[in-house]
Amino acid sequence: MTTYAELDAPPAAPDPGWSRGPLLGFDTETTGLDVEADRIVTAALVLRGPDGSRSVRTWLLDPGVEIPAEAAAIHGITTAEARAHGQDAVGALEEIAAILVHHVRDGVPLVAYNASFDLSLLDVELARHGLPTVPERLGRPVAPVLDPLVLDRWLDRAREGKRRLGDLCALYGIEGDGELHRADVDVLATLDVLDAQLVAHPRLRGAALDALHAAQAGAHRAWAERVNAERAATPGGRPPTSPAWPASTGRAHRGAVAGS
């Protein structure tokens, strides 16, 4: 695992400049938090250019199942609305995956808050409908990924309090373009949080993307191992969380959604 101390050493090469290049943000709103059983209701992809321009694409899906009231209360989409106005899930998922893969294949970093939830759920949804998963389309695991939640847990581990997207927006004084828990609003807020993290930890900008991706995977694994040890010591506690990042499948992943 690459450590922050290593990233904080004098760079061996000039700033690779990825933070000034295009970034692709991704987020979903869903029927729930179980990546195996729940479905995508809305999704957004935002391509932000080097000049700050933003190309926003959003989807409303008919998930084919009832949207629980508690989920609708969060993102505002009811079963009736999704059935009346939502796109067929197969077509929408194919569009989402195709656009995401196109940019990742071109080397554009993918930015997602709590990436292991959204990317895992996307892959499960694609497989559920007989479509190739993102890694299958790429011929490799999805990378590079930048996850502000993982970065926050790694670089500011001692800070107390919750680490939801709204908490980091408050921490960095970010005022979004609308209410959070809309996929497009959340993506834009996530990109702003990443920008703030790059200011707070400027050496990140000089890190090679492959090293930074590997460092996040190691940081997430270390966090999951600590969390799972604590949960194992609590009778009747929450199930273990997956140590895999940026995507995983399996019911063990259900415990990893606390930061979303």
Side-chain angles (χ1 to χ4, degrees):
M1 170 184 167
T2 303
T3 66
Y4 186 61
E6 291 171 319
L7 292 180
D8 203 34
D15 182 345
W18 57 261
S19 65
R20 299 188 299 272
L23 296 172
L24 181 68
F26 175 55
D27 186 61
T28 65
E29 295 296 330
T30 67
T31 61
L33 300 178
D34 185 338
V35 296
E36 287 191 352
D38 283 305
R39 312 292 178 92
I40 294 173
V41 178
T42 65
L45 285 167
V46 176
L47 181 65
R48 193 179 71 183
D51 60 355
S53 61
R54 303 184 302 196
S55 174
V56 181
R57 180 72 187 273
T58 61
W59 291 264
L60 169 62
L61 285 69
D62 177 358
V65 298
E66 293 283 333
I67 300 174
E70 55 269 28
I74 293 172
H75 53 61
I77 307 299
T78 64
T79 302
E81 182 177 357
R83 287 177 177 169
H85 304 291
Q87 186 176 347
D88 172 71
V90 173
L93 291 165
E94 177 59 36
E95 290 176 0
I96 295 165
I99 294 172
L100 189 154
V101 166
H102 168 76
H103 291 294
V104 171
R105 187 175 284 136
D106 281 353
V108 178
L110 180 63
V111 182
Y113 198 89
N114 198 15
S116 56
F117 176 74
D118 295 280
L119 292 178
S120 298
L121 181 57
L122 176 59
D123 280 341
V124 171
E125 280 273 64
L126 290 166
R128 176 182 290 123
H129 293 284
L131 300 170
T133 65
V134 171
E136 288 170 346
R137 293 164 190 257
L138 288 169
R140 59 174 174 82
V142 58
V145 176
L146 298 165
D147 186 335
L149 173 60
V150 172
L151 289 171
D152 183 65
R153 287 173 176 157
W154 176 36
L155 302 176
D156 202 0
R157 179 179 169 183
R159 192 184 79 253
E160 297 182 355
K162 296 182 178 180
R163 298 176 188 263
R164 296 168 300 191
L165 178 57
D167 299 316
L168 265 67
C169 287
L171 175 69
Y172 289 113
I174 294 168
E175 296 183 2
D177 297 333
E179 293 284 337
L180 292 178
H181 299 297
R182 267 184 42 193
D184 55 340
V185 174
D186 284 6
V187 173
L188 295 170
T190 296
L191 291 167
D192 287 344
V193 168
L194 177 63
D195 286 344
Q197 289 175 320
L198 294 175
V199 172
H201 306 279
R203 282 288 179 172
L204 292 177
R205 293 197 300 271
L209 278 172
D210 57 351
L212 190 50
H213 182 97
Q216 290 172 96
H220 177 81
R221 178 174 293 277
W223 168 82
E225 289 172 350
R226 291 195 303 271
V227 168
N228 289 341
E230 293 170 0
R231 291 179 182 180
T234 305
R238 296 172 61 186
T241 189
S242 171
W245 180 94
S248 63
T249 57
R251 296 211 172 261
H253 181 79
R254 285 184 297 173
V257 298
S260 58

